[in-house]
């Protein structure tokens, strides 16, 4: 049995003997916290919604790329509960018998080109605090989870399996022991078939309906339907299955969605994709079926709109979420037109929840977020608290604060500020593009122009001031019928010639007049393999030509920041091309990249800022079933390539960015997150600081602020503020116990408090801190013993002490740059103006990280806000005014305490004396002091904690003036400055009054001592100061 | 405001047991193992229980504001917390029966009985040893959920379910056995607030380690820091200070005059 002392000794000895290994790991980076900035003004694709039938305030939402969100207040606010796991969600099911138990199937089931991948089936037993992976880790995507209403331990999971290759866990899986073991109960006929839906008869839970779906996606093609598809029924809880055929279409089937009418379970509906897709209905528990509708929304894009629902109380009311939500009131015979209330909610609807106790209350999940209705779709309320947007690209401008621009899956293009009043609100985001937003960036010279595009090469420019939009896409020239643009077609601006734009189809185009005209500057840079150009036939049973499978196209354009004639191009069919003469000659260098299978999609190229021959390339083979991470560097214009991906990096690679200042600092975005290397790619550490496990599609670094901005496909934008510290993480620093790092200067800012009481129903993106940021590196967590941070001004005077920060790795501590607040006279109500001390003067401060006996020092700079051009004289006038008012407040505080002390003593002595001449003198003194006291501070009852307005006394005037001058960074107004001596004179007069009143104290005290009473005495200033400090 | 002393960890004299074996401690397997390790890290039950009362002076830093405060704890389960702003003192107290507060800023110097929701927090703070110690006797349950990274270093994650149903998670540093973080979920007016408290700067007090810095965060953002300046253990504390006082006495002479003034105003 070990004693406590042994524990402690062990800990301290271990600390002493600790030998540092100078390797950057995730822990070292996690102290740099990414802040989520939204947007939530619009949503992202929603795949699943479930709520508790007994308590509809409890809601779970599963986003296609944005994780699982829980609301316990009926959808006013949501919080993310699935941050540590893949954010791609296919299914969410609450165990209605025990609503703290929730099942989450990861991996989106609506298999569009841009879907992510899942990692299995998860279960929580405590409302989402803790999750356990319970199986199907290799299913890649789970389309539905159904809990047996009569037995919480029996659960069915519809596993689709791999989208881009054979294999993985496919079919219907069943557990009878709460997830401990799983049995595959329904298997497809081939390796491209999985289970796409399952429904349980609520009255007889042994009766199950399940759909198998034969499907496959490749970079250039999608197939929905095949020999494996079919509709099945089991009547013994999944032991035996029968394929249902009677009345259903002959021939190959595609995707099938199933819904059992809860109030009459013999009635079952199914949308069945076939040559003639329609809604089928059975009234005999699936035995026989009849076609009831082939209306538009019933048949539209069956692979993408895979949900069907029946009203809980009315078996004839059927909902089909499709392009719009459509409803039938007559058992499927007729459907509402193009949906109801077209336009008020986002199109492309995927998930629908119907309140089992109130069929008028629905929640709808769309490509643009979650909506709720309480009048059965008459009117919808948008949920504005879910930051699940799916940007493809990110760009920044150089305004102050800078703006973040991006194109979003099915939500057009938007820009918003990197900080806002009280946070970045939904209304701070401005929309300007439509469709599936892709590359979006401001013109580097004309802030009125934003370039943007939607899918398939539709390029526009937007004029901010007038909100006009002009199409500027390149058109096919001679010989070509069409141009082949990728879904995410590339658009780039020349870093050396800001009026030059590049766009890529199969050719590279350049424009030197802001897109007004284009010149083709290459031949076909792709393989032009006709076998891979099948977009028109793509879709399978239902043609689906959305440009998502456009292939043999340019995907990346990377002009060199150093040499205008050097341009890199990568194609989706695996060509990596470079020109060194502005496009006259091109060389395909992909064969020189070792280890990448031929034809692998080039996902990213970064041309170095430090050396014209250096570039980085990432490859992404996931759409051919290859999930490897491919990252390379060349230093000789592509003649040789070095692999940079290590075993520490997971996920197929999207983008690599070089730090603008440090050539060895690299940022890598993969499907599994953000990775950082400080040694040019030899070692990588995953960045996990407040960043969920979300795909990082694009990365931008703000050159002025050194902010790292991430486009995450499912959680909007994240900002890691000031990554300049990473440039300082040398091996020596990593080997040190503590090193104070230098951070970017902090601008002295007085935050604006906006009056906005909008309730809790709006998302607010996080602002950067207004405080001074102190960064230091610590090699090991420190829990024991004194640890603090002191800040000294240039003269060596200590201006602040902060508690120590003790995490392993980079520690980020905030110092709110205010000096100590003045001591304030005690009066009725808070003297708000005196709560904060004066803002600290701008300048350089010394930071001391003090660990017990050891002190580590560094510097931080508090700089004037560059937007505010106050002269030094103005700043000095403000500082001088603050110092004078500060001193006046402390003088007044002392005077007030002295007055109170003598008054109370006089009252007390008088009380002991009874009615005597002496007591009369004492009471007279007390009364006079009380009268004086009432001129020093307000004594009226405060209003809501604040001093009564009509009873402003000296304290209120002085503290208000102090607060007002402190609340503005420039020269105080002439009126304010003139007021200081006025108040000063009042204070002097009060002091004189006091001195006059206490002049007779020696006489009084003599008489008091005759009565054996203690003398009256105010504390001296010195005593008072000491008392205040304790 | 939340200054919890649930991390009263046993101290262990630095000088002692330098020869003790270390580095071969098997990974904790059960919640009981982790709690035992945690109690051991505190110096053991004996030293902890030997502390009958604590008087702590601290500073609260909240968004650039700094307030001095004082917390008194006494067995069994009594607490009093004071924070002073511009000479006015906010008080929360619990004497084992009634949780009460004085909020002079809102204009009333009179003590008020706390709502049941607010009282829960105060009652919890009054438990000097924290909910994991003598959990069974207190009606609390502790489960080990595994290991998790906390601020870059591994920690055991314990789920603590209080008798009243409230849930918190305690994170115990696998290395030292000290508590590094606590996540508490509080139900308030039908809502739920999740607060993460981080504990550092452990120093011995009467042989028991106490975290001298506590930082509270909500969704990763700092809500306030509490830094202990001074602690005295086992000084006599009058039981009366924990009980709800009668309404504030009115100051004699000036009060009379104030009444008049009030009338005048009307």
């Amino acid at each position: 049995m070990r004693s406590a002392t042994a524990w402690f000794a062990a800990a301290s000895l271990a600390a002493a003997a600790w030998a540092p290994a100078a390797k950057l790991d995730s822990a070292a980076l996690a102290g740099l916290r990414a802040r989520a900035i939204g947007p939530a003004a619009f949503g992202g694709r929603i795949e699943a919604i479930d709520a508790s039938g007994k308590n509809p305030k409890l809601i779970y939402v599963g986003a296609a790329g944005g994780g699982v969100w829980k609301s316990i207040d009926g959808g006013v606010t949501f919080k993310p509960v699935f941050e540590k796991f893949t954010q791609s969600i296919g299914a969410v099911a609450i165990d209605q018998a025990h609503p703290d138990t929730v099942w989450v199937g990861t991996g989106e089931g609506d298999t569009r080109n841009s879907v992510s991948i899942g990692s299995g089936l998860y279960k929580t037993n405590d409302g989402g605090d803790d999750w356990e992976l319970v199986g199907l880790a290799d299913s890649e995507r789970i389309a539905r989870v159904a809990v047996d209403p009569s037995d919480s331990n029996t659960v069915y999971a519809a596993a689709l399996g791999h989208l881009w290759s054979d294999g993985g866990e496919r079919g219907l899986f069943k557990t009878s022991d709460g997830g401990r073991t799983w049995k595959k109960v329904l298997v497809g006929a081939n390796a491209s078939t999985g289970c796409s839906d399952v429904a349980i008869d609520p009255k007889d839970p042994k009766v199950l309906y399940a759909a198998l779906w034969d499907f496959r996606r490749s970079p250039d093609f999608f197939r929905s339907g095949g020999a494996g598809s079919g509709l099945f029924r089991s009547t013994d809880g999944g032991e035996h299955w029968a394929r249902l055929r009677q009345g259903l279409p002959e021939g190959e089937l595609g995707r099938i969605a199933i819904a059992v009418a809860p109030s009459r379970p013999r009635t079952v509906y199914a949308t069945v994709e076939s040559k003639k897709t329609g809604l089928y209905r059975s009234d005999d528990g699936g035995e026989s079926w009849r076609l009831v509708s082939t209306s538009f929304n019933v048949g539209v894009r069956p692979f993408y709109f895979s949900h069907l629902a029946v009203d809980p109380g009315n078996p004839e009311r059927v909902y089909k979420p499709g392009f719009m939500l459509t409803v039938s009131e007559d058992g499927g015979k007729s459907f509402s037109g193009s949906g109801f209330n077209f336009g008020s909610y986002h199109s492309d609807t995927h998930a629908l929840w119907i309140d089992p106790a109130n069929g008028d209350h629905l929640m709808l999940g769309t490509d643009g977020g979650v909506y709720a209705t309480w009048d059965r779709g008459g009117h919808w309320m948008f949920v504005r608290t879910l930051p699940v947007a799916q940007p493809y690209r990110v760009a920044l401008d150089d305004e102050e604060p800078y703006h973040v621009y991006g194109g979003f899956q099915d939500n057009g293009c938007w820009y918003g500020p990197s900080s806002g009043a009280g946070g970045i609100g939904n209304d701070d985001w401005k929309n300007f593009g439509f469709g599936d937003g892709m590359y979006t960036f401001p013109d580097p010279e004309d802030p009125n122009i934003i370039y943007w595009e939607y899918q398939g090469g539709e390029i526009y420019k937007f004029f901010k001031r007038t909100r006009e939009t002009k199409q500027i896409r390149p058109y096919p020239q001679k010989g070509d019928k069409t141009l082949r643009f990728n879904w995410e077609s590339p658009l780039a601006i020349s870093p050396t010639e800001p009026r030059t734009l590049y766009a890529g189809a199969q050719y590279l185009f350049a424009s030197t007049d802001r897109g007004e005209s284009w010149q083709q500057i290459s031949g076909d840079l792709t393989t032009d393999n006709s076998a891979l150009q099948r977009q028109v036939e793509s879709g399978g049973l239902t043609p689906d030509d959305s440009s998502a499978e456009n292939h043999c196209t340019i995907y990346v354009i990377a002009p060199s920041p150093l040499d205008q004639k050097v341009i890199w191009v990568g194609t989706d069919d695996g060509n990596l091309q470079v020109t060194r003469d502005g496009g006259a000659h091109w060389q395909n260098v992909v064969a020189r990249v070792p280890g990448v299978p031929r034809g692998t999609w080039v996902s990213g190229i970064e041309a170095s800022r430090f050396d014209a021959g250096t570039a980085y390339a990432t490859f992404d083979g996931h759409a051919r079933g290859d999930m490897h991470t491919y990252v390379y560097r060349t230093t000789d214009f592509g003649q040789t390539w070095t692999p940079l991906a290590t075993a520490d990096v997971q996920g197929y690679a999207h983008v690599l960015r070089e730090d603008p200042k440090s050539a060895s600092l690299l940022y890598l975005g993969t499907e599994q997150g953000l990775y950082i290397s400080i040694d040019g790619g030899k070692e990588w550490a995953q960045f996990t600081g407040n960043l969920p496990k979300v795909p990082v599609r694009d990365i931008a670094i703000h050159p002025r602020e050194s902010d790292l901005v991430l486009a995450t496909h499912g959680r909007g934008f994240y900002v890691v503020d000031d990554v300049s510290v990473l440039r300082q993480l040398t091996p020596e620093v990593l080997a040190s116990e503590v090193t104070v790092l230098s951070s970017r200067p902090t601008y002295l800012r007085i935050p604006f408090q906006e009056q906005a009481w909008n309730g809790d129903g709006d998302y607010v993106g996080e602002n950067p801190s207004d405080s001074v940021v102190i960064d230091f590196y610590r090699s090991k967590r420190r829990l024991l013993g004194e640890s603090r941070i002191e800040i000294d001004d240039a003269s060596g005077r200590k201006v602040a002490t902060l508690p120590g920060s003790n995490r392993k790795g980079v520690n980020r501590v905030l110092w709110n740059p205010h000096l100590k607040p003045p001591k304030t006279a005690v009066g009725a109500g808070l003297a708000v103006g005196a709560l904060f001390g004066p803002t600290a003067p701008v300048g350089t401060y010394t930071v001391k990280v003090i660990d017990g006996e050891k002190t580590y020092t560094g510097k931080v700079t508090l700089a004037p806000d560059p937007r505010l051009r106050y002269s030094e004289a103005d700043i000095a006038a403000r500082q001088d005014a603050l110092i004078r008012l500060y001193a006046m407040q402390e003088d007044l505080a002392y005077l007030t305490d002295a007055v109170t002390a003598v008054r109370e003593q006089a009252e007390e002595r008088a009380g002991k004396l009874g009615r005597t001449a002496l007591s009369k003198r004492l009471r007279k003194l007390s009364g006079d002091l009380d009268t004086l006291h009432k001129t020093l501070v307000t004594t009226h009852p405060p209003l809501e904690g604040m001093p009564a307005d009509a009873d402003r006394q000296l304290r209120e005037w002085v503290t208000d003036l102090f607060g007002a001058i402190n609340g503005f960074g420039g020269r105080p107004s002439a009126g304010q400055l003139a007021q200081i001596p006025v108040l000063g004179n009042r204070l002097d007069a009060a002091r004189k009054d006091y001195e006059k009143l206490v002049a007779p104290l020696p006489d009084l005290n003599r008489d008091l001592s005759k009565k054996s009473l203690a003398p009256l005495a105010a504390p001296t200033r010195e005593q008072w100061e000491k008392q205040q400090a304790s | 405001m939340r200054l919890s002393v649930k991390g009263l960890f046993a101290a262990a004299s630095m000088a002692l047991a330098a020869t003790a074996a270390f580095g071969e401690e098997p990974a904790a397997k059960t919640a009981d193992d982790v709690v035992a390790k945690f109690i051991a890290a505190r110096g053991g039950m004996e030293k902890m229980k030997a502390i009958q009362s604590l008087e702590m002076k601290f500073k609260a830093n909240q968004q650039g504001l700094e307030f001095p405060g004082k917390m008194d704890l006494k067995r069994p389960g009594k607490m009093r917390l004071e924070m002073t702003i511009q000479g006015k003192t906010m008080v929360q107290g619990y004497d084992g029966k009634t949780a009460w507060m004085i909020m002079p800023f809102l204009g009333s110097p009179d003590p008020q009985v706390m709502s049941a929701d607010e009282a829960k927090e105060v009652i919890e703070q009054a438990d000097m040893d924290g909910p994991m110690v003598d959990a069974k006797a207190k009606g609390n349950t502790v489960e080990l959920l595994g290991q998790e990274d906390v601020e870059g270093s591994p920690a055991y994650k314990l789920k603590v379910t209080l008798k009243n149903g409230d849930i918190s998670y305690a994170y115990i540093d696998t290395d030292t056995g000290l508590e590094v973080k606590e996540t508490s979920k509080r139900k308030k007016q039908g809502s739920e607030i999740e607060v993460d408290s981080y504990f550092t700067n452990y120093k011995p007090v009467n042989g028991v380690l106490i975290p001298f810095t506590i930082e509270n965060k909500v969704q990763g953002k700092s809500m306030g820091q509490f830094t202990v300046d001074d602690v005295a253990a086992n000084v006599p504390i009058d039981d009366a200070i924990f009980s709800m006082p009668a309404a504030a006495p009115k100051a004699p002479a000036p009060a009379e005059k104030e009444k008049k003034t009030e009338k005048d105003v009307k």
Side-chain angles (χ1 to χ4, degrees), chain A residues 2 4 129 781 785-786 827 831, chain B residues 21 40 86 88 169 173 202-203:
Chain A
R2 307 187 62 178
D129 284 340
R781 169 146 73 200
E786 173 70 12
Chain B
Q86 293 184 350
K88 292 244 169 13
Y169 297 91
D173 184 39
Y202 279 94
K203 295 180 199 172

Side-chain angles (χ1 to χ4, degrees), chain A residues 64-149:
Chain A
V68 180
W69 296 75
K70 177 185 181 183
S71 174
I72 57 170
D73 54 23
V76 178
T77 64
F78 280 88
K79 75 167 188 174
V81 293
F82 206 64
E83 299 297 81
K84 294 192 187 100
F85 310 98
T86 174
Q87 297 291 291
S88 175
I89 305 302
V92 174
I94 297 174
D95 177 356
Q96 294 294 342
H98 307 94
D100 276 346
T101 297
V102 183
W103 300 79
V104 167
T106 63
E108 178 184 4
D110 290 339
T111 55
R112 61 163 309 110
N113 62 332
S114 53
V115 291
S116 185
I117 53 176
S119 56
L121 183 63
Y122 294 79
K123 180 189 183 186
T124 178
N125 290 317
D126 56 10
D129 284 340
D130 224 61
W131 296 87
E132 190 188 352
L133 173 66
V134 291
L136 309 186
D138 192 27
S139 58
E140 194 180 285
R141 49 200 76 248
I142 294 168
R144 195 85 64 210
V145 176
V147 182
D148 184 332

Side-chain angles (χ1 to χ4, degrees), chain B residues 124-195:
Chain B
E124 208 184 305
Q125 282 183 10
D127 179 357
M128 209 188 266
D129 304 322
M132 289 185 289
V133 176
D134 302 329
K136 222 176 240 171
K138 292 172 185 167
N140 304 334
T141 57
V142 185
E143 296 162 68
L144 175 62
L145 298 181
Q147 277 194 31
E148 222 170 77
D149 178 283
V150 175
E151 295 196 315
S153 306
Y156 296 111
K157 183 179 183 183
L158 294 173
K159 179 180 180 177
V160 183
T161 308
L162 299 182
K163 196 179 175 183
N164 65 17
D166 276 2
I167 288 168
S168 64
Y169 297 91
Y171 297 84
I172 308 295
D173 184 39
T174 56
D175 186 12
T176 58
L178 295 172
E179 187 178 24
V180 288
K181 176 185 170 185
E182 184 205 62
T183 300
S184 56
K185 291 155 68 101
R186 314 200 160 275
K187 295 198 173 86
K188 270 189 183 165
Q189 292 173 358
S191 179
E192 198 175 74
I193 298 159
E194 198 171 295
V195 181

